[in-house]
Amino acid sequence: MTRPTPFKHHRFPAEIILRAVRMYLRYPLSYQDTADLLAERGVVVDRSTIYRGVQKFGPELAKRTDRHRRWIRLAWHVDETYVRVGKKWRYLWRAIDSHGQLIDFRLTARRDAAAAKAFLRSAIQRVRLHRPMTICTDKAPTYRKVIRKESRRYDPHFDSITHVDRKWRNNRIESDHAALKRLLGYRQSVQSLRTAKSTLRSIEAIRTIKNNHSPHMAPGVAGEIAFVHQIFRTSRLNT
């Protein structure tokens, strides 16, 4: 049975939509910047149209990219940072493996034990059988208690997850936070949690592709573009 295309009934062809979505998510551009770059290539599109395209096709890109990711390593790095959503600061919890591949993220209004527990439980359930052997965090006291409890959910007789809380060992995820926030710093249109979660998920998918965490993909920008068109089963424009 042929899978229905998500581009049906859209004004622009799939190639143009994917180009706009990928450009916005891949580079530190605003919606207007993306519209201007497309206009230079002879494609006139309103920035609100690009916004709607990113919100619809960004999560679809993330879902399709997830099916092509490499195996998650068993050594995790977990940390939280903050992003601005509307006029409020929200906490962004992220976990990556020892090769820098994103495992999961969660956006919350509070930074407390309940948020840490919900995030870790969600991340561990997401990888299923690939549960971590070690989790590296900073020295925040919240993590030790939460990791011990989550570990004993799977093996009540001993701590199956080793917690490492040496701050210098967690530089990997702090550097990854910085790379992500360099992109987010240019976004001035994230006004709601729903939009923020959708945009973050989409940006993380593009970063997964950019960092070559999807096997059987050619290197470089050309490989990234070809991969995006491959998972959507569309052809690529030559312009």
Side-chain angles (χ1 to χ4, degrees), residues 161-218:
I161 302 175
T162 301
H163 179 211
V164 180
D165 63 355
R166 295 179 179 87
K167 185 173 178 59
W168 62 272
R169 290 278 299 273
N170 223 24
N171 288 341
R172 175 179 289 276
I173 191 168
E174 291 178 358
S175 298
D176 201 66
H177 282 336
L180 174 64
K181 292 180 79 170
R182 277 195 293 272
L183 288 173
L184 294 177
Y186 293 87
R187 318 288 170 167
Q188 300 179 1
S189 55
V190 182
Q191 299 296 327
S192 68
L193 274 177
R194 181 175 177 272
T195 301
K197 290 175 182 178
S198 174
T199 304
L200 281 167
R201 186 183 178 200
S202 306
I203 290 175
E204 293 284 18
I206 285 290
R207 295 185 72 236
T208 294
I209 298 171
K210 175 187 173 183
N211 294 331
N212 200 25
H213 291 148
S214 298
H216 312 302
M217 190 186 81

Side-chain angles (χ1 to χ4, degrees), residues 21-216:
V21 170
R22 194 192 68 81
M23 287 170 60
Y24 176 79
L25 298 173
R26 173 68 164 75
Y27 303 103
L29 302 172
S30 67
Y31 289 115
Q32 186 60 57
D33 291 334
T34 308
D36 291 344
L37 288 173
L38 289 173
E40 290 184 7
R41 292 160 173 80
V43 181
V44 179
V45 54
D46 189 78
R47 62 183 179 182
S48 62
T49 303
I50 297 175
Y51 164 78
R52 291 191 295 271
V54 169
Q55 294 305 307
K56 177 177 179 179
F57 293 101
E60 181 66 22
L61 170 68
K63 183 171 68 175
R64 294 181 184 227
T65 301
D66 280 348
R67 301 171 188 157
H68 297 270
R69 297 206 306 171
R70 298 182 186 276
W71 292 106
I72 298 294
R73 276 71 178 186
L74 303 184
W76 291 14
H77 296 261
V78 175
D79 193 23
E80 76 282 349
T81 185
Y82 51 88
V83 295
R84 196 168 186 85
V85 179
K87 297 182 179 180
K88 297 181 179 180
W89 290 105
R90 302 295 185 182
Y91 294 97
L92 177 62
W93 304 76
R94 300 176 70 245
I96 63 175
D97 68 11
S98 55
H99 285 203
Q101 181 174 195
L102 179 77
I103 298 164
D104 202 2
F105 78 90
R106 191 180 188 91
L107 199 59
T108 65
R110 296 182 180 181
R111 180 193 181 196
D112 53 19
K117 179 180 178 181
F119 169 64
L120 277 176
R121 182 168 294 185
S122 172
I124 292 173
Q125 289 175 347
R126 187 168 189 262
V127 298
R128 298 182 182 180
L129 297 178
H130 299 277
R131 293 196 299 270
M133 295 184 65
T134 64
I135 295 180
C136 183
T137 71
D138 58 21
K139 289 187 174 293
T142 300
Y143 286 118
R144 182 169 297 280
K145 183 177 180 181
V146 169
I147 290 173
R148 184 181 297 116
K149 285 186 175 181
E150 288 305 299
S151 178
R152 289 179 177 173
R153 287 183 67 232
Y154 300 100
D155 195 331
H157 301 293
F158 64 94
D159 294 336
S160 57
I161 302 175
T162 301
H163 179 211
V164 180
D165 63 355
R166 295 179 179 87
K167 185 173 178 59
W168 62 272
R169 290 278 299 273
N170 223 24
N171 288 341
R172 175 179 289 276
I173 191 168
E174 291 178 358
S175 298
D176 201 66
H177 282 336
L180 174 64
K181 292 180 79 170
R182 277 195 293 272
L183 288 173
L184 294 177
Y186 293 87
R187 318 288 170 167
Q188 300 179 1
S189 55
V190 182
Q191 299 296 327
S192 68
L193 274 177
R194 181 175 177 272
T195 301
K197 290 175 182 178
S198 174
T199 304
L200 281 167
R201 186 183 178 200
S202 306
I203 290 175
E204 293 284 18
I206 285 290
R207 295 185 72 236
T208 294
I209 298 171
K210 175 187 173 183
N211 294 331
N212 200 25
H213 291 148
S214 298
H216 312 302

Side-chain angles (χ1 to χ4, degrees), residues 215-229:
H216 312 302
M217 190 186 81
V221 175
E224 297 173 28
I225 296 172
F227 178 78
V228 170
H229 284 281

